[in-house]
């Protein structure tokens, strides 16, 4: 950009805008008043390159200033701070570390997440402090609003809503809780109370804007990418700070954030950097399960609901939120752990928890989170563990096939039993069939469960026989292709990525085009989900090598699909 920058010592935003900066710390007052990002006083930002990136940031700031000016011109309260959006008040509480009353009393709230605008409290969390003569609401209403009401900029609100409305449904396409269950109402307060998770949501929102929204100029897209990187850095810094504190109430929140980073790395990267994040979350969960579950800082009432069978409806909203968070996040972890073990050729890290987490009486329901019933996912986890055991035995040179036969037979019986249960449901006599049963036959979770059953059957066959004599799978292949082509709606395909991959591995010549079309077009091929672009090339390579390389088997598929998480 031509011309000297006005301020030599001011914040980088004022220097970019050629405005006089008051050099207030940590954020200058001019940026705060205009609701624009203050880039601080540290090292020169990478985007200040006198080129395209710098112009993109400058244009983005101009648009925000223009919007802010219009709102100020039309306000009915001249002294109101228009650059923020008021969010539901958070009651003032003592910091968690200072409380001596235990987890049940101090777990209720974290301080709201920071914005890049406004004043900051001692702990680095933003709050809006109106002067003694300022009134943002009519006099009779203002008395009811606590002073601790916090603020979020217009820009951050937009990014946050992209996460809630657009990104989260991509992560969990089968998660559709009813209004009686509270819907997704637990998610918003959770995000607002956790600074690292809040920043992760903003990163996802910026990713959405940069990737999918139509734009009139490339500069806006560049600005969104810069914002995405900035918010991601904020997330990592806040997570590091949180992890250094020993307060158990934060453990669940840390795990929740780390799981979001798994999705972030998967969706925005090349599909290989998600593993450390998942490993970290799994290790935290494992340490909690092997010790006292109170390490997660659960309130006493929440533990009663989760582990003692108490009904949830009797408790206050904070307990409902914590219970929903625990069930959802650890169900997610079991799901991702099993699928990651399939393409890694290892046993699930949390297999020792499967018998309790996936028991029929468990309050954590995988079918509500990812669509497939517990008992089917349990068998898929067992097959992955069986493969790992076989591989380890072969490496030791002491593999005895007979030692695994009992396990193979038991898993096979469970898979066939799953198919038999499906058939029994479909064969209910018409006179006995109620409207509820008819609807259940078409329920998406039943279709997803059946597809995972087919996956388990193919997975077991490849483990035992590889690609030898695929003609023996003709009946299974015909059934699953009929299910896909006649009964599976397009919008359900994102919940079937892993089964589709397995069916695709053994696809007949006449069926290959279906998988080419499916994995090369929406909804599976989505610019927001970068990792899925790897699936079709891997399938093409498997199809080629299974017919040209003698002895090509599942170990070769694993090598080709290394670091691929099939979601």
């Amino acid at each position: 950009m031509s011309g000297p920058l006005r301020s030599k010592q001011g914040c980088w935003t004022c220097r970019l805008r050629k405005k006089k900066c008051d050099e207030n710390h940590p954020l200058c007052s001019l940026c705060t008043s205009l609701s624009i990002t203050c880039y601080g006083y540290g090292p020169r930002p990478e985007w200040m390159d006198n080129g395209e990136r710098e112009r993109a940031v400058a244009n983005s700031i101009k648009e925000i200033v223009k919007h802010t000016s219009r709102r100020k011109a039309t306000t009915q309260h001249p002294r109101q701070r228009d650059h923020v959006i008021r969010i539901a008040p958070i009651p003032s509480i003592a910091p968690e570390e200072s409380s001596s009353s235990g987890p049940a009393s101090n777990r209720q709230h974290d301080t709201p997440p920071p914005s890049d605008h406004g004043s900051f409290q001692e702990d680095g969390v933003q709050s809006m402090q109106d002067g003694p003569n300022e009134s943002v609401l009519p006099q009779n209403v203002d008395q009811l609003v606590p002073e601790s009401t916090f603020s979020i900029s217009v820009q951050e609100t937009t990014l946050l809503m992209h996460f809630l409305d657009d990104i989260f449904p991509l992560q969990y396409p089968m998660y559709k809780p009813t209004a009686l269950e509270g819907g997704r109402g637990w998610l918003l307060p959770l995000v607002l109370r956790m600074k690292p998770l809040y920043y992760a949501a903003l990163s996802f929102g910026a990713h959405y804007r940069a990737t999918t929204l139509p734009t009139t100029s490339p500069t806006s897209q560049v600005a969104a990418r810069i914002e995405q990187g900035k918010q991601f850095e904020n997330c990592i810094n806040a997570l590091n700070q949180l992890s250094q504190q020993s307060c158990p109430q934060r453990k669940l929140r840390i795990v929740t954030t780390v799981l979001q980073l798994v999705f972030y790395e998967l969706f925005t990267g090349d599909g290989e950097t998600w593993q450390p994040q998942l490993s970290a979350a799994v290790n935290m969960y494992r340490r909690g399960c092997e010790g006292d579950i109170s390490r997660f800082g659960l309130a006493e009432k929440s533990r009663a609901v989760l582990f003692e069978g108490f009904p949830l409806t009797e408790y206050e909203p904070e307990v409902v939120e914590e219970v929903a968070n625990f069930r959802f996040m650890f169900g997610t972890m079991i799901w991702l752990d099993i699928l990651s073990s399939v393409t890694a050729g290892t046993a699930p890290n949390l297999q020792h928890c499967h018998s309790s987490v996936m028991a029929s009486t468990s309050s954590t329901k995988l079918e509500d989170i990812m669509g497939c019933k517990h008992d089917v996912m349990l068998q898929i986890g067992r097959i992955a563990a069986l493969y790992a055991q076989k591989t380890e035995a072969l490496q030791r040179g002491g593999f005895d096939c007979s030692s695994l036969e009992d396990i193979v037979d038991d898993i096979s019986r469970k898979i066939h039993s799953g198919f038999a249960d499906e058939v029994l449901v479909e064969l209910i006599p018409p006179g006995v069939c109620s409207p509820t049963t008819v609807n259940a036959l078409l329920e998406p979770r039943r279709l997803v469960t059946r597809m995972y059953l087919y996956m388990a059957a193919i997975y077991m066959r490849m483990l035992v026989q590889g690609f030898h004599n695929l003609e023996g799978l003709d009946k299974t292949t015909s059934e699953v292709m009929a299910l896909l082509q006649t009964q599976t709606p397009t919008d359900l395909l994102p919940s079937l990525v892993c089964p589709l991959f397995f069916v695709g591995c053994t696809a007949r010549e006449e069926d290959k085009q279906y998988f080419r079309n499916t994995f090369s077009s929406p909804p599976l091929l989505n610019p927001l989900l970068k990792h899925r672009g790897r699936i079709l090339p891997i399938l093409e390579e498997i199809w080629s090598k299974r017919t040209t390389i003698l002895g090509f088997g599942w170990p070769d598929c694993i090598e080709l699909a290394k670091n691929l998480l099939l979601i």
Side-chain angles (χ1 to χ4, degrees):
M1 299 180 66
S2 60
L5 296 174
R6 182 182 182 95
S7 175
K8 299 291 187 181
Q9 305 297 326
C11 74
W12 288 107
T13 305
C14 287
R15 293 165 76 174
L16 174 67
R17 299 180 62 234
K18 303 177 185 178
K19 302 295 182 181
K20 184 175 181 180
C21 180
D22 66 1
E23 300 180 27
N24 187 43
H25 283 69
L27 304 175
C28 85
S29 300
L30 181 59
C31 292
T32 298
S33 66
L34 293 173
S35 188
I36 58 178
T37 299
C38 181
Y39 287 96
Y41 309 88
R44 184 184 183 92
E46 292 183 2
W47 50 262
M48 292 195 77
D49 56 0
N50 292 322
E52 187 70 20
R53 298 174 69 191
E54 186 170 326
R55 284 192 292 274
V57 175
N59 290 337
S60 176
I61 291 174
K62 285 180 182 177
E63 288 299 316
I64 297 174
V65 171
K66 187 187 301 182
H67 180 72
T68 304
S69 300
R70 282 198 299 265
R71 285 189 292 117
K72 284 187 175 182
T74 58
T75 180
Q76 296 179 359
H77 303 284
R79 306 192 67 172
Q80 181 175 339
R81 301 183 182 181
D82 286 309
H83 66 282
V84 296
I85 293 177
R86 292 272 184 171
I87 306 296
I90 301 293
S92 299
I93 58 170
E96 293 180 1
E97 290 80 5
S98 64
S99 174
S100 59
S101 57
S105 61
N106 64 12
R107 59 139 312 274
Q108 303 285 345
H109 298 284
D110 271 347
T111 324
S115 168
D116 290 319
H117 321 288
S119 60
F120 280 69
Q121 292 177 342
E122 198 172 61
D123 62 352
V125 178
Q126 181 191 16
S127 73
M128 185 165 63
Q129 301 294 335
D130 291 324
N133 297 322
E134 291 185 334
S135 176
V136 298
L137 291 172
Q139 184 67 30
N140 61 334
V141 177
D142 191 49
Q143 297 174 355
L144 304 177
V145 180
E147 292 184 358
S148 59
T149 301
F150 67 94
S151 61
I152 299 178
S153 72
V154 173
Q155 181 182 12
E156 290 181 1
T157 303
T158 301
L159 299 181
L160 180 60
M161 293 312 298
H162 282 319
F163 170 74
L164 295 173
D165 292 342
D166 303 305
I167 295 293
F168 190 81
L170 286 178
Q171 297 173 341
Y172 301 95
M174 290 299 296
Y175 181 65
K176 299 176 182 178
T178 65
L180 291 176
E181 297 171 310
R184 292 187 287 132
W186 59 273
L187 182 60
L188 179 59
L190 184 69
V191 171
L192 293 176
R193 291 188 186 121
M194 295 169 54
K195 287 189 285 185
L197 184 58
Y198 178 76
Y199 288 134
L202 296 185
S203 301
F204 261 127
H207 172 58
Y208 179 86
R209 290 187 65 82
T211 304
T212 65
L213 293 186
T215 177
T216 55
S217 68
T219 57
S220 299
Q221 208 168 32
V222 173
R225 289 298 182 198
I226 293 172
E227 182 70 15
Q228 177 184 341
K230 171 176 171 268
Q231 298 298 352
F232 181 73
E233 183 179 358
N234 288 341
C235 172
I236 297 300
N237 291 337
L239 187 61
N240 287 336
Q241 293 176 9
L242 196 64
S243 63
Q244 292 171 5
Q245 301 170 2
S246 59
C247 183
Q249 284 71 27
R250 294 186 166 92
K251 299 301 182 185
L252 178 60
R253 299 158 194 173
I254 292 174
V255 173
T256 303
T257 303
V258 172
L259 281 177
Q260 274 303 316
L261 293 180
V262 174
F263 285 101
Y264 183 84
E265 297 287 359
L266 200 67
F267 287 9
T268 65
D270 58 9
E272 297 184 0
T273 53
W274 54 270
Q275 293 168 311
Q277 310 289 1
L278 181 58
S279 177
V282 165
N283 287 336
M284 290 186 66
Y285 179 51
R286 183 162 25 189
R287 286 195 297 270
C289 287
E290 291 173 352
D292 184 356
I293 201 69
S294 64
R295 290 184 184 183
F296 291 112
L298 297 174
E300 182 178 348
K301 293 179 180 179
S302 299
R303 291 197 297 271
V305 172
L306 288 166
F307 308 112
E308 299 175 30
F310 282 60
L312 182 60
T313 54
E314 295 180 4
Y315 297 106
E316 56 265 26
E318 289 81 3
V319 173
V320 173
E321 176 192 324
E322 188 172 67
V323 169
N325 180 208
F326 187 91
R327 288 173 175 170
F328 186 82
M329 288 304 144
F330 290 118
T332 296
M333 196 178 305
I334 292 291
W335 164 42
L336 298 183
D337 180 49
I338 291 175
L339 293 195
S340 67
S341 70
V342 168
T343 50
T346 60
N349 290 294
L350 297 174
Q351 190 178 18
H352 63 289
C353 302
H354 288 183
S355 58
S356 57
V357 175
M358 292 194 284
S360 58
T361 57
S362 173
S363 60
T364 300
K365 303 296 184 184
L366 286 187
E367 60 262 39
D368 294 336
I369 298 172
M370 49 78 64
C372 182
K373 292 184 178 179
H374 282 165
D375 49 355
V376 179
M377 292 303 296
L378 182 63
Q379 301 313 313
I380 292 173
R382 292 180 68 193
I383 298 172
L386 182 63
Y387 174 81
Q389 187 178 347
K390 176 183 176 181
T391 302
E392 184 180 350
L394 286 171
Q395 291 173 347
R396 292 197 309 263
F399 175 63
D400 179 10
C401 184
S402 61
S403 64
L404 302 180
E405 285 182 355
D406 290 343
I407 301 177
V408 171
D409 290 342
D410 185 64
I411 295 175
S412 298
R413 282 194 300 270
K414 295 290 177 50
I415 294 173
H416 291 141
S417 175
F419 280 117
D421 290 343
E422 290 287 302
V423 171
L424 285 175
V425 172
E426 293 180 352
L427 293 180
I428 295 175
V432 181
C433 193
S434 67
T436 303
T437 307
V438 172
N439 291 333
L441 298 179
L442 304 176
E443 208 278 321
R445 287 176 291 188
R446 286 202 54 241
L447 193 149
V448 172
T449 298
R450 183 175 298 190
M451 283 297 300
Y452 271 92
L453 272 170
Y454 282 117
M455 169 190 158
I458 294 171
Y459 190 10
M460 177 60 78
R461 183 181 177 88
M462 284 199 290
L463 178 64
V464 176
Q465 299 186 36
F467 290 95
H468 177 67
N469 190 23
L470 283 180
E471 293 79 6
L473 275 175
D474 274 351
K475 182 176 181 297
T476 298
T477 302
S478 297
E479 290 176 359
V480 72
M481 291 307 300
L483 183 65
L484 287 171
Q485 294 173 329
T486 65
Q487 300 184 45
T488 304
T490 303
D491 60 2
L492 201 59
L493 292 176
S495 304
L496 302 173
V497 174
C498 195
L500 284 169
F501 177 80
F502 271 82
V503 179
C505 285
T506 60
R508 301 169 299 192
E509 192 63 37
E510 62 267 29
D511 297 325
K512 291 178 182 178
Q513 192 58 43
Y514 171 86
F515 295 96
R516 291 188 177 107
N517 294 340
T518 299
F519 281 110
S520 62
S521 59
L524 285 191
L525 192 63
N526 187 321
L528 287 165
L529 282 61
K530 188 176 179 181
H531 68 292
R532 287 187 189 163
R534 297 178 57 202
I535 297 177
L536 183 56
I538 291 173
L539 283 178
E540 294 280 6
E541 196 165 357
I542 290 173
W543 292 337
S544 173
K545 291 186 174 181
R546 80 186 195 192
T547 58
T548 58
I549 298 177
L550 187 64
F552 185 82
W554 181 242
D556 304 291
C557 294
I558 287 179
E559 189 61 32
L560 292 174
K562 182 179 290 184
N563 301 324
L564 181 64
L565 188 58
L566 293 168
I567 60 173

